[in-house]
Amino acid sequence: MITAHEQTGGAEAMMEIARDYAVTRRAFGQPIGAFQSIKHRIAELYGLVELARANCIHAASREGQADFITAAAAARISATEAYDSASRDCVQIHGGIGVTWELGLHLHTRRARSLAIEQGNLLFWEDILVDRLTGAAA
């Protein structure tokens, strides 16, 4: 469960770094955050982060309950997807500088990928969630 919270925090940090860069970096006389593709990417990241946060809070509130495993699986899935997407998008928003040692954004990408494997990969948690949801429906 702690891994999902760490992933959510990492995703939020990457989203904020991307947002801050988008409002300060200028191209063609305006901030790059004014361009629709950048604006939409950051908005999508915000949605992913908030979904992951909500799932983590729900899973933490269900600890010790019968549906804890289902809630934990949902939290892990959404947090994994949020951190992976946020780290990749942040590097892309920064352009060429995003893959240099100057900012260290690539270290978040590595951390996102290692956390996605730790304590079961995404497919493992998706299988658990599907089994729990279909078992509950039957």
Side-chain angles (χ1 to χ4, degrees):
M1 196 57 229
I2 291 175
T3 305
H5 288 283
E6 182 179 347
Q7 289 173 310
T8 303
E12 183 175 18
M14 295 305 295
M15 178 196 64
E16 290 173 356
I17 290 169
R19 182 202 60 212
D20 293 345
Y21 184 75
V23 297
T24 58
R25 173 78 166 121
R26 299 183 70 79
F28 305 110
Q30 59 185 348
I32 64 170
F35 296 111
Q36 194 170 11
S37 62
I38 302 294
K39 210 181 332 185
H40 283 257
R41 265 193 173 161
I42 294 172
E44 183 179 332
L45 290 179
Y46 179 75
L48 289 173
V49 168
E50 290 305 313
L51 176 65
R53 182 188 331 277
N55 281 329
C56 285
I57 291 169
H58 176 69
S61 73
R62 301 309 299 165
E63 191 167 352
Q65 304 296 320
D67 62 342
F68 172 70
I69 299 296
T70 305
R76 278 286 289 165
I77 292 166
S78 60
T80 299
E81 290 175 347
Y83 197 16
D84 187 52
S85 294
S87 65
R88 284 185 290 112
D89 286 353
C90 187
V91 167
Q92 288 183 349
I93 288 169
H94 278 77
I97 198 172
V99 292
T100 65
W101 283 99
E102 185 175 338
L103 296 177
L105 299 177
H106 62 286
L107 299 175
H108 274 278
T109 304
R110 290 177 66 185
R111 183 70 179 153
R113 301 240 167 108
S114 68
L115 286 175
I117 297 169
E118 191 176 289
Q119 298 179 5
N121 65 17
L122 196 58
L123 295 175
F124 171 78
W125 288 103
E126 287 173 348
D127 287 345
I128 288 176
L129 185 60
V130 167
D131 289 345
R132 290 289 178 139
L133 292 177
T134 57

